[in-house]
Amino acid sequence: MKKLFYLLIVFGLLTSCVSRKNQAIQQNILTLKDSYCKAPFKYNYSNKLPSYNSDSILAANKELKEVFSDQSILILNALDNLDEVHQIIDLKKDSSLASQVKVLQLKTKINSKITIALTELDAVAAEFDCEGERVAQIGNYVDNLNSSRNNKLILYSIVAGAAASIAGGIVHDQGWSNAIDIGGGVLGAGFGLATLNPKGKKVEFIHQRNLLRDIWKEKLESPNFPPFIWYMYTEKKFSNKEEHSIIGNMKQRWLHYQFDDSKEAADKSVIFSDGGFYRADDLHNRAAMLNQMQSATRTINQNINYLLLDLDKLIL
Protein backbone atom coordinates (compact mmCIF):
# COMPACT_ATOMS: atom_id res chain seq x y z
CA MET A 1 0.00 0.00 0.00
CA LYS A 2 2.91 2.36 0.72
CA LYS A 3 4.15 1.96 -2.86
CA LEU A 4 0.74 2.93 -4.23
CA PHE A 5 0.58 5.92 -1.87
CA TYR A 6 4.01 7.20 -2.98
CA LEU A 7 3.10 6.64 -6.61
CA LEU A 8 -0.02 8.79 -6.25
CA ILE A 9 2.01 11.58 -4.59
CA VAL A 10 4.53 11.64 -7.46
CA PHE A 11 1.66 11.61 -9.97
CA GLY A 12 0.02 14.58 -8.28
CA LEU A 13 3.24 16.61 -8.23
CA LEU A 14 3.98 15.96 -11.90
CA THR A 15 0.49 16.87 -13.10
CA SER A 16 0.59 20.01 -10.96
CA CYS A 17 3.85 21.11 -12.64
CA VAL A 18 2.42 20.50 -16.10
CA SER A 19 -0.72 22.46 -15.20
CA ARG A 20 1.28 25.46 -13.97
CA LYS A 21 3.38 25.37 -17.13
CA ASN A 22 0.26 25.43 -19.31
CA GLN A 23 -1.19 28.33 -17.33
CA ALA A 24 1.98 30.35 -17.90
CA ILE A 25 1.91 29.57 -21.62
CA GLN A 26 -1.78 30.50 -21.81
CA GLN A 27 -1.08 33.91 -20.27
CA ASN A 28 1.71 34.57 -22.77
CA ILE A 29 -0.41 33.54 -25.75
CA LEU A 30 -2.88 36.35 -25.07
CA THR A 31 -0.22 38.88 -26.05
CA LEU A 32 0.17 37.21 -29.46
CA LYS A 33 -3.44 37.32 -30.67
CA ASP A 34 -3.03 40.83 -32.13
CA SER A 35 -0.08 41.57 -34.41
CA TYR A 36 2.50 43.96 -33.01
CA CYS A 37 4.48 43.86 -36.28
CA LYS A 38 2.44 46.17 -38.50
CA ALA A 39 3.25 49.88 -38.69
CA PRO A 40 1.49 52.13 -36.13
CA PHE A 41 -0.32 53.92 -38.97
CA LYS A 42 -0.97 53.20 -42.62
CA TYR A 43 0.94 55.35 -45.07
CA ASN A 44 -0.94 56.23 -48.25
CA TYR A 45 1.54 55.45 -50.99
CA SER A 46 1.13 56.93 -54.44
CA ASN A 47 -1.18 54.83 -56.60
CA LYS A 48 1.10 55.36 -59.59
CA LEU A 49 2.53 51.98 -60.55
CA PRO A 50 5.65 51.55 -62.70
CA SER A 51 5.03 50.32 -66.22
CA TYR A 52 5.35 46.57 -66.76
CA ASN A 53 6.09 47.08 -70.46
CA SER A 54 9.79 46.49 -69.85
CA ASP A 55 10.75 45.83 -73.48
CA SER A 56 9.44 49.19 -74.67
CA ILE A 57 11.13 50.98 -71.75
CA LEU A 58 14.47 49.39 -72.60
CA ALA A 59 14.04 50.14 -76.30
CA ALA A 60 13.25 53.80 -75.58
CA ASN A 61 16.39 54.11 -73.44
CA LYS A 62 18.82 51.97 -75.39
CA GLU A 63 21.50 54.70 -75.29
CA LEU A 64 21.74 54.13 -71.53
CA LYS A 65 22.87 50.53 -71.99
CA GLU A 66 26.45 51.69 -72.41
CA VAL A 67 26.47 52.54 -68.71
CA PHE A 68 23.48 50.80 -67.14
CA SER A 69 22.28 47.21 -67.06
CA ASP A 70 18.72 46.45 -68.14
CA GLN A 71 17.68 45.99 -64.52
CA SER A 72 19.20 49.33 -63.52
CA ILE A 73 17.29 51.09 -66.32
CA LEU A 74 14.04 49.50 -65.17
CA ILE A 75 14.69 50.52 -61.56
CA LEU A 76 15.40 54.10 -62.66
CA ASN A 77 12.10 54.06 -64.52
CA ALA A 78 10.29 52.67 -61.48
CA LEU A 79 11.79 55.44 -59.33
CA ASP A 80 10.85 58.04 -61.99
CA ASN A 81 14.51 59.08 -62.43
CA LEU A 82 15.16 58.43 -66.12
CA ASP A 83 14.82 62.11 -67.01
CA GLU A 84 17.51 63.03 -64.47
CA VAL A 85 19.89 60.43 -65.95
CA HIS A 86 19.38 61.77 -69.49
CA GLN A 87 20.02 65.30 -68.23
CA ILE A 88 23.25 64.17 -66.57
CA ILE A 89 24.44 62.59 -69.81
CA ASP A 90 23.80 65.86 -71.67
CA LEU A 91 25.46 67.96 -68.95
CA LYS A 92 28.55 65.74 -68.96
CA LYS A 93 29.30 67.11 -72.45
CA ASP A 94 29.88 70.51 -70.83
CA SER A 95 32.81 70.74 -68.43
CA SER A 96 31.80 74.10 -66.94
CA LEU A 97 31.40 74.53 -63.19
CA ALA A 98 27.68 75.25 -63.57
CA SER A 99 27.18 71.95 -65.39
CA GLN A 100 29.10 70.07 -62.71
CA VAL A 101 26.99 71.62 -59.97
CA LYS A 102 23.80 70.72 -61.84
CA VAL A 103 25.03 67.12 -62.22
CA LEU A 104 25.55 66.86 -58.47
CA GLN A 105 22.06 68.27 -57.84
CA LEU A 106 20.51 65.72 -60.18
CA LYS A 107 22.49 62.88 -58.60
CA THR A 108 21.29 64.01 -55.17
CA LYS A 109 17.71 63.86 -56.43
CA ILE A 110 18.27 60.31 -57.73
CA ASN A 111 19.95 59.24 -54.49
CA SER A 112 17.01 60.58 -52.51
CA LYS A 113 14.62 58.30 -54.41
CA ILE A 114 17.00 55.35 -53.97
CA THR A 115 17.22 56.01 -50.21
CA ILE A 116 13.43 55.92 -49.92
CA ALA A 117 13.37 52.64 -51.87
CA LEU A 118 15.99 51.14 -49.55
CA THR A 119 14.05 52.16 -46.44
CA GLU A 120 10.90 50.63 -47.95
CA LEU A 121 12.80 47.39 -48.48
CA ASP A 122 14.04 47.45 -44.89
CA ALA A 123 10.55 48.14 -43.58
CA VAL A 124 8.96 45.27 -45.52
CA ALA A 125 11.76 42.86 -44.61
CA ALA A 126 11.45 43.88 -40.95
CA GLU A 127 7.71 43.16 -40.95
CA PHE A 128 8.29 39.72 -42.49
CA ASP A 129 10.97 39.07 -39.86
CA CYS A 130 8.72 40.23 -37.01
CA GLU A 131 5.76 38.18 -38.24
CA GLY A 132 8.03 35.15 -38.58
CA GLU A 133 9.12 35.50 -34.95
CA ARG A 134 5.53 36.00 -33.85
CA VAL A 135 4.39 32.82 -35.60
CA ALA A 136 7.39 30.92 -34.21
CA GLN A 137 6.28 31.84 -30.69
CA ILE A 138 2.78 30.51 -31.40
CA GLY A 139 4.32 27.37 -32.91
CA ASN A 140 6.39 26.79 -29.79
CA TYR A 141 3.25 27.23 -27.72
CA VAL A 142 1.39 24.54 -29.67
CA ASP A 143 4.45 22.27 -29.55
CA ASN A 144 4.46 22.68 -25.77
CA LEU A 145 0.76 21.86 -25.63
CA ASN A 146 1.32 18.67 -27.61
CA SER A 147 4.36 17.76 -25.53
CA SER A 148 2.49 18.36 -22.25
CA ARG A 149 -0.45 16.28 -23.43
CA ASN A 150 1.76 13.38 -24.45
CA ASN A 151 3.71 13.59 -21.20
CA LYS A 152 0.45 13.38 -19.27
CA LEU A 153 -0.75 10.37 -21.24
CA ILE A 154 2.59 8.59 -20.83
CA LEU A 155 2.45 9.32 -17.11
CA TYR A 156 -1.12 8.00 -16.91
CA SER A 157 0.01 4.87 -18.73
CA ILE A 158 2.87 4.32 -16.29
CA VAL A 159 0.65 4.93 -13.27
CA ALA A 160 -2.06 2.63 -14.61
CA GLY A 161 0.44 -0.16 -15.18
CA ALA A 162 2.12 0.32 -11.82
CA ALA A 163 -1.18 0.54 -9.96
CA ALA A 164 -2.43 -2.62 -11.65
CA SER A 165 0.78 -4.42 -10.74
CA ILE A 166 0.60 -3.34 -7.11
CA ALA A 167 -3.12 -4.09 -6.85
CA GLY A 168 -2.60 -7.49 -8.44
CA GLY A 169 -0.03 -8.29 -5.78
CA ILE A 170 -2.36 -7.24 -2.99
CA VAL A 171 -5.43 -9.17 -4.19
CA HIS A 172 -5.04 -12.87 -3.38
CA ASP A 173 -7.95 -14.09 -5.47
CA GLN A 174 -6.46 -15.40 -8.73
CA GLY A 175 -9.47 -14.41 -10.85
CA TRP A 176 -9.55 -10.86 -9.57
CA SER A 177 -5.78 -10.58 -9.88
CA ASN A 178 -5.89 -11.61 -13.53
CA ALA A 179 -8.74 -9.21 -14.21
CA ILE A 180 -6.81 -6.32 -12.63
CA ASP A 181 -3.70 -7.16 -14.64
CA ILE A 182 -5.67 -7.31 -17.89
CA GLY A 183 -7.59 -4.11 -17.10
CA GLY A 184 -4.42 -2.26 -16.18
CA GLY A 185 -2.72 -3.43 -19.36
CA VAL A 186 -5.65 -2.33 -21.54
CA LEU A 187 -5.84 1.06 -19.79
CA GLY A 188 -2.10 1.63 -20.13
CA ALA A 189 -2.19 0.64 -23.80
CA GLY A 190 -5.09 3.03 -24.36
CA PHE A 191 -3.14 5.92 -22.89
CA GLY A 192 -0.16 4.95 -25.03
CA LEU A 193 -2.21 4.85 -28.23
CA ALA A 194 -3.73 8.23 -27.39
CA THR A 195 -0.28 9.81 -27.75
CA LEU A 196 -0.26 8.83 -31.43
CA ASN A 197 -2.22 11.88 -32.55
CA PRO A 198 -0.56 13.01 -35.79
CA LYS A 199 -2.27 16.42 -35.88
CA GLY A 200 -2.06 17.39 -32.24
CA LYS A 201 -3.54 20.46 -30.59
CA LYS A 202 -4.63 23.60 -32.41
CA VAL A 203 -4.82 27.26 -31.44
CA GLU A 204 -6.67 30.27 -32.80
CA PHE A 205 -4.31 32.70 -34.51
CA ILE A 206 -5.63 35.89 -36.16
CA HIS A 207 -3.86 37.92 -38.88
CA GLN A 208 -6.25 40.18 -40.80
CA ARG A 209 -3.25 41.96 -42.35
CA ASN A 210 -1.93 38.94 -44.19
CA LEU A 211 1.13 39.67 -46.34
CA LEU A 212 1.34 36.05 -47.49
CA ARG A 213 -2.18 36.23 -48.92
CA ASP A 214 -1.13 39.16 -51.14
CA ILE A 215 1.84 37.15 -52.35
CA TRP A 216 -0.29 34.08 -53.09
CA LYS A 217 -2.96 36.00 -55.02
CA GLU A 218 -0.35 38.13 -56.88
CA LYS A 219 -2.66 40.85 -58.12
CA LEU A 220 -1.60 43.85 -60.18
CA GLU A 221 -1.16 45.89 -57.00
CA SER A 222 -1.22 45.35 -53.25
CA PRO A 223 -2.28 47.93 -50.65
CA ASN A 224 -0.01 46.30 -48.06
CA PHE A 225 3.21 46.90 -50.02
CA PRO A 226 4.84 50.06 -51.41
CA PRO A 227 4.33 50.18 -55.21
CA PHE A 228 8.09 50.03 -55.88
CA ILE A 229 8.51 46.86 -53.78
CA TRP A 230 5.50 45.23 -55.41
CA TYR A 231 6.91 46.08 -58.83
CA MET A 232 10.23 44.46 -57.95
CA TYR A 233 8.36 41.37 -56.73
CA THR A 234 6.23 41.01 -59.84
CA GLU A 235 8.45 42.13 -62.76
CA LYS A 236 9.96 39.05 -64.42
CA LYS A 237 13.14 40.93 -65.40
CA PHE A 238 14.27 40.87 -61.76
CA SER A 239 14.23 37.10 -61.36
CA ASN A 240 17.23 34.96 -62.24
CA LYS A 241 15.84 33.27 -65.36
CA GLU A 242 13.24 35.97 -66.18
CA GLU A 243 10.61 33.26 -66.78
CA HIS A 244 8.64 34.04 -63.63
CA SER A 245 8.65 36.93 -61.19
CA ILE A 246 10.30 36.72 -57.77
CA ILE A 247 7.03 35.84 -56.07
CA GLY A 248 6.01 33.64 -59.01
CA ASN A 249 9.03 31.45 -58.27
CA MET A 250 8.27 31.64 -54.55
CA LYS A 251 4.71 30.43 -55.09
CA GLN A 252 5.92 27.45 -57.08
CA ARG A 253 8.22 26.43 -54.22
CA TRP A 254 5.42 26.86 -51.66
CA LEU A 255 3.06 24.77 -53.75
CA HIS A 256 5.60 21.96 -54.01
CA TYR A 257 7.13 21.93 -50.53
CA GLN A 258 4.35 23.27 -48.27
CA PHE A 259 1.25 21.92 -50.04
CA ASP A 260 2.44 18.79 -51.86
CA ASP A 261 1.56 20.29 -55.27
CA SER A 262 -2.11 20.67 -54.34
CA LYS A 263 -3.33 24.12 -55.37
CA GLU A 264 -6.77 23.36 -53.92
CA ALA A 265 -5.22 22.68 -50.51
CA ALA A 266 -3.19 25.89 -50.76
CA ASP A 267 -6.20 28.02 -51.72
CA LYS A 268 -8.17 26.65 -48.75
CA SER A 269 -5.28 26.91 -46.30
CA VAL A 270 -5.72 28.99 -43.16
CA ILE A 271 -2.29 30.48 -43.97
CA PHE A 272 -3.79 32.68 -46.70
CA SER A 273 -6.94 33.67 -44.77
CA ASP A 274 -7.65 36.25 -42.04
CA GLY A 275 -6.63 33.60 -39.53
CA GLY A 276 -8.29 30.76 -37.70
CA PHE A 277 -7.33 27.54 -35.97
CA TYR A 278 -3.75 26.48 -36.61
CA ARG A 279 -2.04 23.20 -35.89
CA ALA A 280 1.70 23.01 -35.28
CA ASP A 281 2.56 22.01 -38.87
CA ASP A 282 0.62 24.95 -40.33
CA LEU A 283 2.34 27.36 -37.94
CA HIS A 284 5.78 26.05 -38.82
CA ASN A 285 4.93 26.30 -42.53
CA ARG A 286 3.75 29.88 -42.11
CA ALA A 287 6.93 30.83 -40.23
CA ALA A 288 9.08 29.28 -42.96
CA MET A 289 7.17 31.11 -45.71
CA LEU A 290 7.52 34.46 -43.94
CA ASN A 291 11.25 33.91 -43.52
CA GLN A 292 11.57 33.00 -47.21
CA MET A 293 9.84 36.24 -48.21
CA GLN A 294 12.13 38.18 -45.90
CA SER A 295 15.14 36.69 -47.69
CA ALA A 296 13.63 37.38 -51.13
CA THR A 297 13.03 41.01 -50.13
CA ARG A 298 16.61 41.40 -48.92
CA THR A 299 17.99 40.15 -52.24
CA ILE A 300 16.47 43.18 -54.02
CA ASN A 301 19.20 45.21 -52.32
CA GLN A 302 21.62 43.57 -54.74
CA ASN A 303 19.82 45.13 -57.71
CA ILE A 304 19.94 48.57 -56.11
CA ASN A 305 23.61 48.09 -55.26
CA TYR A 306 24.36 47.46 -58.95
CA LEU A 307 22.39 50.59 -59.84
CA LEU A 308 24.49 52.68 -57.44
CA LEU A 309 27.66 51.30 -59.01
CA ASP A 310 26.37 52.19 -62.49
CA LEU A 311 25.53 55.72 -61.32
CA ASP A 312 29.06 56.19 -60.00
CA LYS A 313 30.44 55.19 -63.41
CA LEU A 314 28.17 57.76 -65.03
CA ILE A 315 29.31 60.62 -62.78
CA LEU A 316 33.04 59.88 -63.00
Side-chain angles (χ1 to χ4, degrees):
M1 291 295 291
K2 286 184 178 180
K3 291 182 179 180
L4 182 59
F5 176 71
Y6 291 143
L7 190 63
L8 291 173
I9 290 177
V10 172
F11 173 74
L13 289 173
L14 288 174
T15 54
S16 175
C17 290
V18 171
S19 177
R20 283 198 296 270
K21 180 181 179 183
N22 282 342
Q23 288 175 1
I25 294 172
Q26 186 65 41
Q27 290 172 356
N28 290 333
I29 203 67
L30 295 176
T31 64
L32 301 174
K33 284 292 184 72
D34 295 321
S35 177
Y36 47 78
C37 300
K38 60 185 179 182
F41 64 92
K42 184 176 180 180
Y43 184 80
N44 293 320
Y45 292 100
S46 169
N47 290 327
K48 183 180 179 182
L49 289 169
S51 172
Y52 282 89
N53 195 350
S54 56
D55 291 335
S56 63
I57 293 169
L58 294 172
N61 296 275
K62 58 184 178 181
E63 68 276 12
L64 298 182
K65 291 188 177 185
E66 295 180 4
V67 180
F68 297 96
S69 67
D70 286 355
Q71 291 187 350
S72 292
I73 294 172
L74 293 175
I75 292 175
L76 287 169
N77 177 72
L79 297 176
D80 198 21
N81 281 138
L82 281 176
D83 289 341
E84 285 77 11
V85 171
H86 284 290
Q87 290 179 52
I88 289 174
I89 291 175
D90 291 337
L91 288 166
K92 289 283 289 182
K93 299 173 183 177
D94 183 359
S95 59
S96 67
L97 180 61
S99 294
Q100 294 178 28
V101 170
K102 183 62 175 177
V103 166
L104 292 176
Q105 290 176 339
L106 291 170
K107 188 172 187 291
T108 299
K109 186 175 180 181
I110 296 172
N111 284 337
S112 176
K113 293 283 189 71
I114 292 175
T115 299
I116 293 174
L118 288 171
T119 58
E120 289 175 351
L121 281 169
D122 287 340
V124 172
E127 185 170 355
F128 278 125
D129 184 30
C130 182
E131 278 293 326
E133 291 296 325
R134 176 174 172 245
V135 176
Q137 290 182 55
I138 302 287
N140 291 335
Y141 164 73
V142 177
D143 286 339
N144 284 331
L145 280 181
N146 291 330
S147 178
S148 297
R149 173 183 176 275
N150 288 341
N151 287 340
K152 280 183 180 180
L153 291 171
I154 291 171
L155 184 60
Y156 294 158
S157 177
I158 294 172
V159 170
S165 177
I166 294 171
I170 295 173
V171 176
H172 298 293
D173 184 273
Q174 187 64 35
W176 278 105
S177 179
N178 291 337
I180 291 172
D181 288 341
I182 294 171
V186 171
L187 186 60
F191 286 132
L193 289 173
T195 64
L196 302 177
N197 181 359
K199 293 185 178 180
K201 295 283 188 177
K202 57 184 178 180
V203 66
E204 187 177 16
F205 182 44
I206 305 301
H207 41 69
Q208 291 182 340
R209 176 181 167 86
N210 191 347
L211 300 181
L212 293 183
R213 174 171 51 202
D214 291 14
I215 302 298
W216 183 250
K217 290 186 176 181
E218 195 179 355
K219 293 182 178 180
L220 181 61
E221 59 183 295
S222 168
N224 291 323
F225 291 93
F228 172 75
I229 306 299
W230 193 248
Y231 171 72
M232 298 296 291
Y233 281 161
T234 53
E235 171 55 60
K236 295 179 181 180
K237 291 288 186 181
F238 296 108
S239 64
N240 291 334
K241 296 183 179 180
E242 300 185 7
E243 294 179 4
H244 304 282
S245 64
I246 291 175
I247 61 176
N249 289 327
M250 186 68 69
K251 287 166 59 179
Q252 287 185 347
R253 291 194 290 272
W254 288 351
L255 190 63
H256 181 66
Y257 292 109
Q258 265 75 35
F259 299 103
D260 295 327
D261 295 315
S262 174
K263 189 175 184 304
E264 182 180 1
D267 290 336
K268 293 181 180 179
S269 174
V270 66
I271 292 174
F272 301 124
S273 69
D274 285 338
F277 287 97
Y278 273 81
R279 298 190 186 275
D281 286 346
D282 291 326
L283 287 166
H284 293 314
N285 278 337
R286 182 174 178 83
M289 292 158 73
L290 287 164
N291 289 333
Q292 289 162 15
M293 279 307 305
Q294 179 195 357
S295 298
T297 304
R298 297 277 186 206
T299 59
I300 297 175
N301 282 277
Q302 297 174 352
N303 301 102
I304 296 181
N305 180 56
Y306 297 146
L307 169 61
L308 289 171
L309 293 173
D310 290 342
L311 280 171
D312 279 343
K313 288 190 297 182
L314 176 65
I315 301 302
L316 292 177

